[in-house]
Amino acid sequence: MSKLRAGVIGVGYLGRFHAQKYAALKGVELVGVVDYDPARADEIAAEVKAKAFTDHKELLSQVDLVSIVVPTQYHFGVAKDCLDAGVHILLEKPVTQTVEEAEELIALAKEKGLVFQVGHLERFNPAILALEDVLDNPLFIETHRLAPFKARGTDVNVVLDLMIHDIDIILSLVGSKIKTVNAVGVPVLTEQGDIANARLQFENGCVANVTASRVSRDSMRKIRIFQQDAYVSIDYEARKTAIYRKGGKGLPVPSIPNVTMEHASFKKSDALLAEIESFIEAVTEGKAPVVSGEDGKRALEVALQITQKLWHEVRP
């Protein structure tokens, strides 16, 4: 069986890692990398032993699939070119700038019979994957995603930059439509919102409280989930999970009758490699990706609702 031919469009900070993963995978040939900066394209191409391009259209006839890791404003145009050329795409988040653009890409991928995966990396975190047999109708979810300031990613606000990771996870866990959205945010170092908090109420009664900051001193990535029979706490940074249950099989919790606790830690994993391997598997086996274009669109819809609330309720 011939190798799948891969390419990476956009080899800045994150795109470089995409290129490294493809170059290391068996069964895949990394044909080329694209960057509109010729020096950057040449640098990364030499590193991963691939061809360098400055125009993504020149690459498309030579590949079967690509990762698209360009600034959000270019997502739609580049992705459409790839799909029109019959190339499967892994498109970094947020999927597009508008819901209408996402819908057009979804329809085009379906028409062409192509895989359209969105790069919501947290779905491949082992702590999240381990929740499958634990969660049952969450009632309240709280997330914190705080990070020191970095210039990259500031082409969008903190909701589309960081919070959207947790929005996608929450939507995948709750499985219900959103009833109301309330939010507040503050622009600090950029003209966009740099700190934001949103309260999402779902039609099934679940409530999620979501906080994101890209101007914090320390990093924090945590999610807490409450349901009738259990409380789950995940610290992504420390790679630890704590589960407290009624009548479980773990250690008894002192002074709390019929409640047990289970603690687990996870080895450092390569979520990006898992994401790319999942994308390749979807292409080779002709199955739906773990994070589909529809998933990316739903996360974008909620992120845009939150963004609209930020700018209606807080002025810079």
Side-chain angles (χ1 to χ4, degrees), residues 29-40:
E29 177 191 359
L30 179 60
V31 172
V33 299
V34 182
D35 203 276
Y36 306 129
D37 177 352
R40 182 66 176 180

Side-chain angles (χ1 to χ4, degrees), residues 7-189:
V8 178
I9 302 174
V11 284
Y13 176 80
L14 181 57
R16 177 190 182 193
F17 296 138
H18 277 255
Q20 290 172 346
K21 303 307 177 190
Y22 285 115
L25 282 171
K26 294 180 180 179
V28 176
E29 177 191 359
L30 179 60
V31 172
V33 299
V34 182
D35 203 276
Y36 306 129
D37 177 352
R40 182 66 176 180
D42 288 339
E43 176 191 354
I44 303 304
E47 179 183 318
V48 297
K49 297 179 174 57
K51 298 177 185 176
F53 298 85
T54 55
D55 184 343
H56 65 274
K57 291 181 181 178
E58 295 177 358
L59 172 70
L60 298 183
S61 64
Q62 304 178 45
V63 295
D64 304 303
L65 56 90
V66 295
S67 281
I68 301 172
V69 200
V70 297
T72 306
Q73 61 184 315
Y74 304 118
H75 279 194
F76 174 74
V78 174
K80 187 174 185 302
D81 287 341
C82 295
L83 293 173
D84 280 333
V87 176
H88 304 279
I89 61 172
L90 168 53
L91 179 59
E92 268 301 334
K93 61 82 195 167
V95 59
T96 48
Q97 288 187 299
T98 70
V99 173
E100 292 74 21
E101 288 176 342
E103 289 173 341
E104 185 172 340
L105 294 181
I106 291 166
L108 182 56
K110 185 175 181 180
E111 175 190 331
K112 297 273 190 176
L114 296 168
V115 172
F116 175 15
Q117 181 166 321
V118 182
H120 283 288
L121 196 63
E122 214 70 272
R123 290 279 200 104
F124 298 90
N125 190 303
I128 291 295
L129 296 174
L131 291 179
E132 187 174 344
D133 297 328
V134 176
L135 296 187
D136 180 21
N137 192 29
L139 301 175
F140 179 71
I141 300 174
E142 184 173 44
T143 69
H144 288 86
R145 188 172 293 265
L146 315 179
F149 182 76
K150 295 175 183 176
R152 65 177 187 272
T154 54
D155 58 317
V156 293
N157 63 40
V158 72
V159 178
L160 292 163
D161 181 19
L162 297 182
M163 187 184 286
I164 196 166
H165 285 293
D166 296 308
I167 292 169
D168 173 66
I169 291 294
I170 290 166
L171 293 176
S172 71
L173 296 179
V174 176
S176 174
K177 293 182 179 180
I178 289 180
K179 184 178 180 181
T180 60
V181 173
N182 292 291
V184 63
V186 180
V188 179
L189 296 178

Side-chain angles (χ1 to χ4, degrees), residues 192-206:
Q192 315 255 20
D194 295 313
I195 302 174
N197 173 265
R199 181 180 174 87
L200 312 176
Q201 184 164 356
F202 292 84
E203 291 182 356
N204 68 356
C206 181

